[in-house]
Amino acid sequence: MVSRIVTVVLLCLLAITHAQLWWGAGSMDRVAELRTQINELQASNDAARRENERLTSEVNDLREGKETVQEKARSELGMLKPNEIYVQIMRP
């Protein structure tokens, strides 16, 4: 009789454990969903890290040399050096 009670109790605990494994808060589906979210966030972080490295490199270039500043001023602002003539060639 006692062995039956122990068996029934152990089977109930096993059933509860399996139920939580499949349908509970830490279920297999939830773990797979969280892994997908982690992968997406890591990809997003990698893209942001690459952009930050590019911007850091650009800032360092702007701090170190006048050529980069002149290049930015010419291309983005249309600035010219003194006694310089700007010629724009239009193609049909």
Side-chain angles (χ1 to χ4, degrees):
M1 183 75 178
V2 173
S3 65
R4 279 188 176 175
I5 293 173
V6 170
T7 304
V8 169
V9 168
L10 288 176
L11 285 174
C12 287
L13 289 174
L14 183 64
I16 291 170
T17 303
H18 269 274
Q20 285 192 354
L21 179 65
W22 293 104
W23 300 294
S27 70
M28 301 290 275
D29 290 336
R30 180 71 177 143
V31 169
E33 181 181 313
L34 289 174
R35 283 187 180 149
T36 303
Q37 286 180 353
I38 287 171
N39 290 337
E40 290 172 358
L41 290 173
Q42 284 177 341
S44 173
N45 285 344
D46 289 341
R49 188 173 294 114
R50 284 191 301 271
E51 179 67 14
N52 284 342
E53 289 171 359
R54 185 189 66 78
L55 291 172
T56 301
S57 173
E58 187 175 335
V59 167
N60 289 336
D61 288 345
L62 289 171
R63 283 184 182 162
E64 291 175 5
K66 290 185 177 182
E67 291 112 19
T68 307
V69 174
Q70 288 177 358
E71 178 185 332
K72 287 272 186 194
R74 287 172 183 258
S75 64
E76 294 178 9
L77 302 175
M79 297 180 80
L80 302 173
K81 289 182 178 180
N83 298 324
E84 189 174 52
I85 298 172
Y86 177 71
V87 177
Q88 183 176 5
I89 300 172
M90 303 291 288
R91 296 192 175 154

